[in-house]
Amino acid sequence: MERISVSADRDYEILIEINWQKSIEPYLNNRGQVAVIVSETMRERITDLPQTDAQIHIFTVPDSEAGKSFATYQKLLDWLGAAGFTRNDLVIAVGGGAVTDLSGFVASTWLRGIDWIAVPTTLAAMVDAAVGGKTGINSEYGKNLIGSFYSPISVLVDLSWLDTLSDRDFAAGLAEVLKSGFIADGQIVELLKAKTLSEVRTNQALTLELISRTVTVKAKVVSGDFKESFDREILNYGHTLGHAIELHSKYMLRHGECVSIGLVFAANLANQVGILSDEITTLHVSILERLGLPVSYESRHWPELRANMAIDKKSRSGTLRFVAISEIGKTLRIEAPVESDLLAAYERLCS
Ligand SMILES: NC(=O)c1ccc[n+]([C@@H]2O[C@H](COP(=O)([O-])OP(=O)(O)OC[C@H]3O[C@@H](n4cnc5c(N)ncnc54)[C@H](O)[C@@H]3O)[C@@H](O)[C@H]2O)c1
């Protein structure tokens, strides 16, 4: 087992390579009630419940973004209310990032905050969504608009969940892994260089090392800047165009797939303005492509993507700001790039 510490609104640990039912037992002592929040698809996999004297309730919510709705949030609060959840009780989120985001938000607002534990079941949630204490739901005005910064008391990363994850979702998680490599850990880039998706998936030691390195990057960044005032923004490498594509695709593409295209764009832009070498720019494309991730988008969509980027939360006072790298592990910002550079960077990734 590996332990990675986070120091944010509270100090907590991310435990990696554990059996979640066993590892959760100490957290259940002296609890009256426990709510396990799980998505419909994952419900059947909750069989052996942890040993505890507490009363366990299992609350099933719709999968993915459908669960991150105000209606589901309200239903969960009603369930907690009807069951009489107190400050001493516990919420356990078992699922992908959608479930951990939703459950963390429920925990953060019930009685002004009760304890919660994240048990991420997708690669993306293990390395990203469940780490860092951002919780939330979607509003009709946009994604993640309602939320809070509220850390869990622990994150339990049980790798056995990954056995049933689709190749598509596994690859999407790897986009975030590679992002962490480019911004802060060159060894991740080395480990992924020349690897296919199946070479990663079938190599458990490699998967474990990638998860633990990526979580370490995020834990360090989040511990230094929990509320994203500046330093945490580096985690948004590839996300400015990524979010714009996510919105444009009406969320039909996975978050990690959009980040993959966004990473290529960010590298192209840095190369275009003369701060990133051709070699590292091309490396973005070759690694992502070999992992089976998308690296291009249609040229005709640029006007809409450009408009979407303008409303992205990382644009400040009307100017666009991009996280970029000048070499592996060295981040900087590109502020208000000229339109011709943006367009050129986009044209280079068009199919
Ligand atoms: N809070 C944060 O810092 C943060 C960071 C990144 C992403 N997010 C959020 O996370 C969400 C995306 O998370 P995600 O990529 O995990 O997607 P997801 O939660 O939508 O899950 C993707 C699919 O995988 C299924 N699934 C989950 N675990 C499985 C398993 N072990 N085997 C088989 N199928 C499984 C789910 O039922 C779902 O259909 C988005 O809502 C995004 O906004 C949050």
Side-chain angles (χ1 to χ4, degrees), residues 76-89:
L76 285 167
L77 295 183
D78 286 345
W79 279 335
L80 295 184
F85 265 63
T86 69
R87 277 253 168 83
N88 193 39
D89 294 331

Side-chain angles (χ1 to χ4, degrees), residues 17-30:
E17 210 192 5
I18 41 89
N19 170 299
W20 77 274
Q21 289 103 326
K22 277 264 154 278
S23 297
I24 215 162
E25 281 173 9
Y27 299 101
L28 305 180
N29 291 336
N30 304 318

Side-chain angles (χ1 to χ4, degrees), residues 4 25 27 47-48 86-87 89 113 190 199 203 233 255 286 291 308 326 333 339 343:
I4 297 171
E25 281 173 9
Y27 299 101
T47 44
D48 299 326
T86 69
R87 277 253 168 83
D89 294 331
E190 280 304 312
E199 281 166 346
N203 185 338
E233 207 183 52
H255 176 73
S286 62
L291 292 172
N308 289 353
S326 55
R333 271 84 172 163
E339 291 300 322
L343 184 59

Side-chain angles (χ1 to χ4, degrees), residues 316-335:
R316 308 271 185 248
S317 357
T319 59
L320 273 184
R321 182 157 89 198
F322 291 85
V323 177
I325 60 169
S326 55
E327 52 191 80
I328 296 173
K330 203 161 189 187
T331 53
L332 46 95
R333 271 84 172 163
I334 299 177
E335 304 262 358

Side-chain angles (χ1 to χ4, degrees), residues 55-171:
Q55 188 182 357
I56 297 192
H57 307 260
I58 299 184
F59 297 137
T60 307
V61 295
D63 273 281
S64 295
E65 299 308 311
K68 277 177 69 172
S69 68
F70 203 83
T72 310
Y73 167 68
Q74 189 167 15
K75 197 181 253 182
L76 285 167
L77 295 183
D78 286 345
W79 279 335
L80 295 184
F85 265 63
T86 69
R87 277 253 168 83
N88 193 39
D89 294 331
L90 176 72
V91 167
I92 303 173
V94 182
V99 173
T100 56
D101 273 13
L102 166 73
S103 310
F105 185 56
V106 166
S108 81
T109 48
W110 182 251
L111 300 179
R112 297 193 182 85
I114 64 171
D115 287 348
W116 75 288
I117 292 178
V119 180
T121 62
T122 63
L123 182 58
M126 289 175 186
V127 297
D128 192 13
V131 181
K134 275 196 203 174
T135 77
I137 57 173
N138 303 326
S139 132
E140 62 181 286
Y141 299 100
K143 210 169 168 247
N144 296 327
L145 289 185
I146 306 165
S148 60
F149 287 95
Y150 189 70
S151 295
I153 59 168
S154 186
V155 180
L156 305 177
V157 179
D158 182 337
L159 268 61
S160 69
W161 292 109
L162 297 179
D163 297 348
T164 53
L165 196 65
S166 67
D167 277 347
R168 186 176 180 191
D169 281 304
F170 198 100

Side-chain angles (χ1 to χ4, degrees), residues 40-60:
E40 277 152 10
T41 322
M42 300 306 289
R43 173 65 187 88
E44 63 187 29
R45 297 205 40 204
I46 309 278
T47 44
D48 299 326
L49 285 170
Q51 291 294 320
T52 175
D53 292 334
Q55 188 182 357
I56 297 192
H57 307 260
I58 299 184
F59 297 137
T60 307

